[in-house]
Amino acid sequence: MSYKNFPMVPRVVFGRGSFNQLSEIIAPKRLNVSAPFIFLVDDVFKGDAWLTSRIPLSYEDKVIYISSKEEPKTEQVDSLVEEIILTSSQGASGIIGIGGGTLLDLAKAVAIMLNNEGEAKDYQGWDLVKNPAVYHVGIPTISGTGAEVSRTTVLTGPKMKLGINSDFTPFDQVVLDPELTKGVPTNQWFYTGMDCFIHCIESLNGSYLNTFSQTYGDMAFQLCKEIFLEDHLSASDAQDKLMMASWHGGMSIAYSQVGVAHAMSYGLSYLLGTKHGIGNCIVFDHLEEFYPEGVKLFKEMKTKYSIELPKGICTNLDDSEFDVMINISLSLEPLWENALGKNWKKIITRDKLKELYQKM
């Protein structure tokens, strides 16, 4: 039997205020004074001097602000790559992503595409990347997606929503500074935190489960229950713990897979542009049949934080639109096999999926 030789983030720094060490972390990686570091930063921080004044710019380094209101797209990656190539005659020393899952995924994808020919859409899938990425650093400012640790970068392309899954995708360096998550609004904090919780539920209940995944999944699951159901944590403790839950949740799917909620939320995201975290929540709310215990806990958490999920988002869709979502969802075969086993096609029919989508 052949086991997956899984790449991990080789360097990580954790701690409140560790963002201040970014300059000394990246300095040795500068190729020359004409090869800039490119900082891709969530535009919610534009004008926020508390964070932006600490970005260590020198020589020809550049900050590009990017909106995270929409999911990352392959064409967006291509245009960023083109912009960087045109303005950096000596190439880029590195790409540094600062933000949530959208920014981290863009940073990973741009770093890959700077060293690989063609367009980002050509690399959506598993193990299609030929050349190592440019040096890239991930700095999450919200916790839950696991994008800081995963070997995928989830992108919406012209034909599908699918990650660039490769051994060259993971960051070379991650800076985990829980202080950076302090300004996140409650709803967004909840949706992204639930992405982590759902990672754990899908991994721990999947047919791909093994001891590697289970130990990380168990830890993230316990942390999520503590953060979202107990009352004794201070704000800073909750920030620290959710940052580590996100890391462990990302690791729990590294050697296994996600499941039904993710497979279906990719369909919502592709057709309706639903953001990943909230999409997972909308789907998961209707999955008692597959994850009874997990959904029960999720509903308790939702009540505790007075979260009202959008309803009726699929009410006015026609059959062709349902077909688009169903096709996207069914194309994610490893997710279905993990969730339901080798015979998943007998359990999940197109009619079954349509019926579930109609509830949303």
Side-chain angles (χ1 to χ4, degrees):
M1 181 171 179
S2 164
Y3 292 102
K4 189 159 62 172
N5 193 3
F6 177 75
M8 293 161 96
V9 173
R11 289 182 177 268
V12 56
V13 55
F14 173 86
R16 305 182 78 75
S18 58
F19 184 62
N20 294 335
Q21 291 171 228
L22 186 56
S23 177
E24 64 188 79
I25 287 169
I26 64 174
K29 300 295 180 182
R30 188 179 293 281
L31 301 175
N32 59 61
V33 295
S34 302
F37 283 108
I38 309 292
F39 296 84
L40 304 181
V41 182
D42 190 322
D43 72 358
V44 299
F45 295 109
K46 211 172 188 173
D48 178 355
W50 177 78
L51 185 135
T52 56
S53 67
R54 296 190 287 152
I55 295 174
L57 298 174
S58 44
Y59 306 110
E60 293 171 23
D61 296 349
K62 187 171 167 187
V63 174
I64 302 174
Y65 289 103
I66 296 169
S67 167
S68 60
K69 288 196 166 55
E70 291 189 346
E71 297 281 276
K73 294 185 168 56
T74 53
E75 64 205 38
Q76 187 182 11
V77 173
D78 296 335
S79 66
L80 282 166
V81 168
E82 191 175 357
E83 182 183 340
I84 291 163
I85 289 170
L86 289 174
T87 56
S88 315
S89 58
Q90 300 287 311
S93 287
I95 305 295
I96 290 114
I98 303 174
T102 295
L103 268 294
L104 298 181
D105 278 349
L106 280 172
K108 290 191 282 191
V110 167
I112 283 170
M113 293 310 300
L114 281 167
N115 272 353
N116 286 275
E117 289 180 357
E119 298 172 87
K121 68 177 171 57
D122 305 332
Y123 296 92
Q124 285 181 287
W126 278 267
D127 301 309
L128 302 172
V129 180
K130 302 283 188 290
N131 302 315
V134 168
Y135 176 75
H136 52 309
V137 180
I139 305 174
T141 60
I142 184 169
S143 299
T145 66
E148 66 277 13
V149 72
S150 75
R151 77 186 285 278
T152 188
T153 157
V154 182
L155 300 170
T156 301
K159 294 193 176 144
M160 56 194 162
K161 180 178 174 184
L162 186 61
I164 299 176
N165 295 273
S166 89
D167 281 0
F168 301 123
T169 308
F171 286 109
D172 298 297
Q173 170 81 53
V174 169
V175 176
L176 296 178
D177 182 347
E179 219 169 54
L180 300 183
T181 67
K182 67 179 187 182
V184 177
T186 302
N187 270 26
Q188 205 182 348
W189 170 82
F190 182 85
Y191 296 140
T192 314
M194 286 303 102
D195 188 16
C196 174
F197 176 71
I198 293 164
H199 279 159
C200 302
I201 298 295
E202 292 183 319
S203 170
L204 292 170
N205 290 281
S207 66
Y208 289 4
L209 187 66
N210 52 58
T211 313
F212 184 97
S213 302
Q214 187 169 3
T215 46
Y216 283 108
D218 281 341
M219 177 59 72
F221 179 63
Q222 294 307 326
L223 285 167
C224 283
K225 284 202 296 188
E226 193 180 346
I227 294 155
F228 291 102
L229 289 174
E230 295 177 18
D231 294 317
H232 63 88
L233 290 181
S234 67
S236 62
D237 271 354
Q239 289 159 5
D240 290 11
K241 289 189 175 207
L242 189 54
M243 193 157 257
M244 288 323 297
S246 178
W247 183 270
H248 283 78
M251 287 300 297
S252 76
I253 52 170
Y255 230 108
S256 64
Q257 244 318 338
V258 282
V260 181
H262 276 75
M264 292 190 70
S265 85
Y266 274 39
L268 289 180
S269 174
Y270 183 84
L271 184 76
L272 304 173
T274 312
K275 289 283 290 178
H276 183 70
I278 193 169
N280 280 342
C281 289
I282 291 167
V283 176
F284 197 66
D285 210 31
H286 297 283
L287 298 184
E288 290 95 338
E289 176 185 347
F290 303 101
Y291 307 110
E293 290 300 309
V295 174
K296 182 167 168 271
L297 283 173
F298 170 74
K299 288 183 189 287
E300 283 175 38
M301 294 169 179
K302 203 174 61 163
T303 304
K304 184 172 167 67
Y305 289 96
S306 310
I307 300 292
E308 289 287 327
L309 290 175
K311 290 189 169 62
I313 62 170
C314 296
T315 306
N316 299 317
L317 300 183
D318 60 32
D319 285 347
S320 68
E321 289 170 311
F322 278 113
D323 280 341
V324 168
M325 292 199 297
I326 290 164
N327 291 340
I328 293 285
S329 182
L330 288 176
S331 72
L332 298 159
E333 297 201 0
L335 282 63
W336 290 109
E337 187 176 311
N338 178 49
L340 303 168
K342 296 230 181 280
N343 293 325
W344 65 271
K345 288 180 181 170
K346 292 186 174 134
I347 303 164
I348 283 291
T349 60
R350 298 185 72 86
D351 288 345
K352 173 75 177 171
L353 275 181
K354 185 172 181 181
E355 181 193 319
L356 279 169
Y357 276 129
Q358 282 170 329
K359 291 180 182 173
M360 295 166 195

